[in-house]
Amino acid sequence: MEFGCRYIYVNDKNINRDNEKIHTHLPSVEIHSNAPTTFQEAPCSNALPSPHLNVQPSGPTERKTPPPIPERRKKPSMIQHQDVSGPGSVPYDNFRPTEESQPNNQTTDVYYETPLDSEYPCALQSPSPELERSKTPPPVPERKKRTSLVPPTSMFNEPPNSVYVEVLPASASEMERSKSHSLFPPASPQLEENKVKEQLQANCNVLLLNLGKLVDISGTANSVKPTVCCRCSAALSKVNPGLENQTWCCAFCGCENTMPAGAHIENFTEDQICLSDPLPGRTPDDDSILIFCVDISGSMSVTSEIESEQNLNGNHALYITRMEALKAGLLQSLDYLYNQHPKKRVVLITFSDQVMIYGDGTSPPHILDDTELLDPDYLRSCGETQPMPHTLEETLTALKSRIGSLYEMGATALGPAALVSIAMAAQKPGSKVIICTDGRANTYLGNLDDIAEEHAYQSSRLFYSNLANLALQHSVVVSVLTIERTDCRLHELGQLADKTGGKVNIVHPLNLAQEFQSILEEEINATDVKVRVYLPSYMYFVFEGHSMPVLERAIGSTTPDTVLSLEFDIHSTLIQDALRHSQLPVQVQLTFCRQDGRRGHRILTQRRPVTNDCLAALEALNMSVLQIHSAQISAHLAMEGRVEEATKVALALKGLIAQIMKHEKYEASNDVYEEWENTMSPIYEDLQVYGNSIKRQREQGNTHVPAVKGFTDEMANMMFHLKQAKNKVMKKLKHQAQ
């Protein structure tokens, strides 16, 4: 397993957010050696001070401190104003602290005036002696020019008995001005600038699992099942602390467990592999089924022009129908399979306004039509009860004959045909279904043509989602191919391939043979693959719809380059708890079935160092992991209809990758980065444009229309490719973008 960063990065910049707002606005405070140390908060210059503050001078003064202002009580002003009419009458003014100049070794004297709304009759007593000495009040300074409580720099050498402690203000400008008053040497401006610039643009806590390689077990393996926690099922490994009395403590949930007899923690490695006996009924030979489920509806008679280099007659343009191109592609695929895998079992199923199950071609077809196409339970049972086809070396001639007799007719009963095909393929885990169509399903079950009504659209979408789950449950890989310049509602239909690890693509009719062969060459190296990932309780998985530290994912079948990326983060309320640890554990558990029928278990456990230093994290980032995750997570969110969120996350990760490339250690990867950026930028721009159009629709009141309903086939095709992002796919995306 790989990580987006060598560290688990803890972003503690937002801890105690409310307290930060208070501390960053504290002013400078003067401490006198002959007075008790007190920290005093001056009134904010942008707001009226609280009438409940009881402010005491922090040093000696010649004047007595004004009496405290009681809560909710109103007090006559101690200052005689010029507009007083008559003896003893005193108007009331705003409550304002005023300052008076003092000698350098004395603090500022503060006067208080009564708030403007304090209007109640009160007889003023005779003025105090202090007021007699001050006939007129000192002028009230302007707010913006409020005298600083910290003496100027020139005074630092004058009073030897005074020490000044400065609490930095919040604003950058005040911080710069206050640096000259600090007794401590200022930080390097370049360092401060780097700290601001090098804040990570996105979350770098990413886990990348190359499942295709992890299930490919070579070498020795244990036959003993792993020891797991009785509470959370995390496996015992070196990261678990051993306790007395033959017990061990789970590193993830803290539960105390009994140690197996004769076992020692030192004997458990970070990578544990266990293989069991084959499942009943499984044989070492590959007896999986390949099913071609193809469209022969009336629209397959549409023609396409053959390019000049393929033209047999250079003087006239030649055209070929979609049906002719499909039949040619099927025949070429059979020849390829016969030469490479003669033991492969191949089945042909066609759909128009009927579903015709030809099987291996050696028996009459089973025709399903009319009301039979309306009952999903009946259709599933028909697929499950089909006889097992013979090998291709026995059926090649019969299948070619059936393919040669196909012709166009009728509607597009794609939904029933897909259900029958998947049910039949489910007899053998690891089987493949290739669906090829040139239009929307337009019969009752799985209808994608008449979806104006929201309930009809959601019903059809749910049908294909459940069908994909059925294929995933039995490790059936479904691939979906559509013809160029057609509208097949690929977003909904493509779920079959997206959930099962198959391919989705839009192809030219003349390229069908090449695309068929590409799918056939994808080797399935494991079936019934399931993943479980454990994190400490301080963490959670992002974009998974829950805040638990454990994630389970059913993968189905894997190929050698199957890749899965996951993003995790730390709960904001538990950041301090996470930072108490120098390392935190991560565990990945894989269960799968090999092609020889043996069940496999693989457990990988690592301790990852923890840091809250963004500069250290930035230098330890893995660009290739972040690139793959950026593509996968943005496509995942977009296909769920969260287009705006997908755009935001994608651009943030793009900014993080751009940060990486500024470091010298990545200068050699500039060409790789530019290639990736050129590939992804048009895709992100399309997401932004589509996201803005959705936003405008919502502003106009069209909130009931799902975002994904407006996806074109081309956009859906691109998103499906991004969700399966890996090195091979990234190169293909570059070709499509061009």
Side-chain angles (χ1 to χ4, degrees):
M1 53 183 175
E2 298 180 81
F3 289 83
C5 180
R6 187 168 66 248
Y7 303 98
I8 293 178
Y9 176 60
V10 182
N11 185 1
D12 59 350
K13 298 299 183 292
N14 294 326
I15 300 180
N16 300 327
R17 188 173 300 174
D18 295 335
N19 292 337
E20 282 188 351
K21 292 180 180 178
I22 295 174
H23 296 316
T24 53
H25 287 82
L26 285 176
S28 303
V29 178
E30 180 183 14
I31 301 177
H32 287 269
S33 60
N34 57 350
T37 303
T38 58
F39 287 85
Q40 171 184 334
E41 180 175 355
C44 177
S45 61
N46 296 328
L48 291 176
S50 170
H52 310 302
L53 289 177
N54 182 14
V55 180
Q56 300 290 339
S58 60
T61 178
E62 295 181 358
R63 302 179 187 274
K64 295 182 178 180
T65 303
I69 300 177
E71 185 176 357
R72 301 296 183 184
R73 294 186 58 188
K74 300 184 179 180
K75 186 175 182 180
S77 175
M78 295 182 295
I79 302 173
Q80 184 79 22
H81 288 260
Q82 296 180 359
D83 59 345
V84 175
S85 56
S89 63
V90 180
Y92 305 106
D93 201 350
N94 292 340
F95 176 75
R96 294 284 189 276
T98 61
E99 300 177 356
E100 184 178 69
S101 300
Q102 296 292 334
N104 292 337
N105 60 349
Q106 295 183 6
T107 58
T108 303
D109 199 5
V110 181
Y111 289 87
Y112 288 86
E113 300 178 8
T114 309
L116 183 62
D117 58 351
S118 301
E119 297 180 1
Y120 57 91
C122 178
L124 184 65
Q125 302 296 329
S126 59
S128 63
E130 285 78 10
L131 291 181
E132 288 292 338
R133 292 196 301 268
S134 180
K135 297 288 185 178
T136 59
V140 179
E142 296 182 5
R143 295 181 184 177
K144 296 183 179 180
K145 299 180 181 180
R146 181 167 57 85
T147 305
S148 174
L149 296 180
V150 179
T153 308
S154 60
M155 296 177 57
F156 268 80
N157 298 325
E158 294 183 5
N161 59 342
S162 298
V163 179
Y164 299 93
V165 178
E166 178 184 9
V167 180
L168 295 179
S171 65
S173 58
E174 289 180 350
M175 186 179 297
E176 292 297 327
R177 290 197 302 270
S178 64
K179 284 181 181 178
S180 60
H181 304 308
S182 176
L183 291 177
F184 304 101
S188 169
Q190 185 66 31
L191 179 60
E192 294 295 334
E193 182 180 359
N194 289 340
K195 286 184 178 180
V196 175
K197 288 183 178 180
E198 298 296 348
Q199 294 297 321
L200 299 188
Q201 301 293 322
N203 181 22
C204 64
N205 293 319
V206 175
L207 172 62
L208 184 70
L209 299 175
N210 194 327
L211 300 177
K213 292 182 179 179
L214 291 176
V215 300
D216 186 12
I217 297 176
S218 58
T220 60
N222 299 325
S223 59
V224 181
K225 291 185 178 180
T227 302
V228 298
C229 173
C230 61
R231 178 187 296 173
C232 68
S233 298
L236 172 61
S237 66
K238 281 186 176 181
V239 304
N240 299 97
L243 306 177
E244 297 179 355
N245 302 323
Q246 286 295 308
T247 59
W248 60 279
C249 180
C250 179
F252 298 95
C253 70
C255 179
E256 186 174 335
N257 301 270
T258 302
M259 185 77 70
H264 300 280
I265 289 183
E266 294 77 12
N267 298 333
F268 292 89
T269 61
E270 293 184 353
D271 187 359
Q272 304 176 48
I273 300 175
C274 171
L275 285 177
S276 61
D277 295 332
L279 294 175
R282 292 297 298 268
T283 60
D285 297 332
D286 179 15
D287 59 350
S288 61
I289 306 173
L290 171 64
I291 300 179
F292 288 100
C293 179
V294 297
D295 186 354
I296 60 168
S297 62
S299 58
M300 291 294 288
S301 60
V302 175
T303 59
S304 300
E305 183 177 355
I306 300 177
E307 298 296 334
S308 57
E309 61 266 18
Q310 297 171 304
N311 199 338
L312 299 179
N313 187 343
N315 298 325
H316 300 88
L318 293 181
Y319 294 86
I320 185 174
T321 66
R322 295 171 182 171
M323 175 60 72
E324 292 172 339
L326 172 63
K327 291 160 69 173
L330 291 174
L331 293 175
Q332 291 183 42
S333 299
L334 291 181
D335 290 335
Y336 167 80
L337 288 171
Y338 182 78
N339 294 326
Q340 301 294 327
H341 309 282
K343 300 294 184 180
K344 183 61 98 177
R345 304 176 188 273
V346 181
V347 170
L348 176 65
I349 297 178
T350 66
F351 58 91
S352 54
D353 51 4
Q354 300 174 331
V355 174
M356 302 188 70
I357 307 174
Y358 289 96
D360 59 12
T362 58
S363 58
H366 183 181
I367 302 176
L368 301 172
D369 57 6
D370 297 333
T371 57
E372 294 175 322
L373 302 180
L374 307 179
D375 188 348
D377 294 332
Y378 175 76
L379 293 170
R380 180 173 177 178
S381 65
C382 285
E384 293 173 342
T385 56
Q386 289 297 312
M388 181 61 60
H390 296 85
T391 60
L392 187 58
E393 60 184 359
E394 303 174 69
T395 62
L396 176 63
T397 303
L399 278 173
K400 284 189 172 183
S401 175
R402 296 293 185 185
I403 292 172
S405 63
L406 297 179
Y407 60 93
E408 312 91 335
M409 64 174 182
T412 309
L414 190 155
L419 176 53
V420 171
S421 300
I422 292 174
M424 183 176 181
Q427 299 180 50
K428 295 293 181 180
S431 297
K432 293 182 179 181
V433 175
I434 302 177
I435 299 175
C436 181
T437 183
D438 72 336
R440 298 188 184 189
N442 54 19
T443 58
Y444 176 77
L445 197 61
N447 192 325
L448 293 174
D449 192 36
D450 187 12
I451 56 174
E453 297 293 335
E454 184 61 21
H455 68 86
Y457 171 71
Q458 294 297 342
S459 176
S460 295
R461 190 178 179 189
L462 181 62
F463 169 80
Y464 290 105
S465 177
N466 292 338
L467 196 53
N469 292 333
L470 174 64
L472 179 62
Q473 180 182 352
H474 295 278
S475 296
V476 175
V477 178
V478 183
S479 295
V480 178
L481 303 179
T482 64
I483 305 299
E484 283 184 355
R485 301 178 183 177
T486 62
D487 179 12
C488 303
R489 293 300 309 173
L490 194 56
H491 175 268
E492 292 74 31
L493 187 60
Q495 294 181 78
L496 300 174
D498 180 45
K499 289 186 177 182
T500 61
K503 287 189 173 183
V504 178
N505 209 1
I506 302 174
V507 298
H508 190 278
L510 295 177
N511 295 331
L512 281 173
Q514 179 181 351
E515 199 65 30
F516 287 152
Q517 183 172 337
S518 174
I519 295 173
L520 298 177
E521 289 175 349
E522 287 280 351
E523 177 188 357
I524 294 177
N525 58 0
T527 60
D528 196 21
V529 181
K530 296 178 182 177
V531 181
R532 180 180 289 181
V533 184
Y534 289 87
L535 299 174
S537 58
Y538 316 119
M539 303 182 189
Y540 67 99
F541 290 94
V542 186
F543 308 119
E544 295 295 335
H546 61 79
S547 58
M548 302 298 294
V550 181
L551 175 68
E552 295 185 61
R553 184 77 62 85
I555 306 300
S557 299
T558 58
T559 61
D561 55 355
T562 301
V563 172
L564 174 66
S565 70
L566 303 170
E567 183 175 338
F568 59 92
D569 208 344
I570 293 86
H571 289 286
S572 59
T573 57
L574 300 176
I575 287 178
Q576 293 289 11
D577 296 329
L579 286 174
R580 292 191 181 100
H581 302 271
S582 61
Q583 293 181 326
L584 289 173
V586 178
Q587 185 174 101
V588 176
Q589 297 183 8
L590 279 174
T591 61
F592 52 92
C593 184
R594 290 163 41 117
Q595 290 299 90
D596 60 4
R598 303 179 69 186
R599 295 289 302 180
H601 300 266
R602 188 165 190 175
I603 300 172
L604 298 98
T605 310
Q606 292 185 9
R607 281 192 175 274
R608 308 295 299 184
V610 179
T611 185
N612 60 347
D613 186 346
C614 63
L615 294 178
L618 188 61
E619 294 177 355
L621 296 180
N622 188 326
M623 184 176 68
S624 62
V625 170
L626 295 175
Q627 285 178 336
I628 293 176
H629 177 67
S630 172
Q632 287 193 358
I633 191 60
S634 58
H636 171 74
L637 294 173
M639 296 305 287
E640 287 187 348
R642 301 152 67 180
V643 180
E644 296 176 10
E645 188 176 357
T647 306
K648 182 179 178 180
V649 171
L651 294 179
L653 285 167
K654 181 182 177 183
L656 178 60
I657 296 171
Q659 277 185 291
I660 301 174
M661 297 309 302
K662 294 179 182 178
H663 285 260
E664 296 180 358
K665 60 184 292 187
Y666 294 103
E667 286 183 356
S669 303
N670 279 333
D671 293 341
V672 177
Y673 169 71
E674 290 178 2
E675 180 179 349
W676 176 83
E677 186 179 28
N678 293 336
T679 301
M680 301 302 297
S681 292
I683 300 172
Y684 293 154
E685 290 174 3
D686 291 343
L687 278 176
Q688 285 183 295
V689 171
Y690 187 66
N692 293 334
S693 66
I694 294 175
K695 187 176 181 180
R696 286 192 297 269
Q697 290 180 8
R698 291 175 178 172
E699 291 174 352
Q700 296 172 1
N702 298 329
T703 57
H704 63 284
V705 179
V708 295
K709 199 172 182 179
F711 272 26
T712 64
D713 280 9
E714 289 73 17
M715 189 171 186
N717 184 45
M718 187 67 69
M719 292 300 107
F720 284 127
H721 279 281
L722 287 176
K723 287 189 71 174
Q724 299 178 359
K726 43 203 170 189
N727 292 334
K728 189 184 299 184
V729 173
M730 300 300 287
K731 293 178 181 178
K732 189 171 185 178
L733 284 173
K734 178 186 176 183
H735 176 72
Q736 292 181 355
Q738 293 174 347

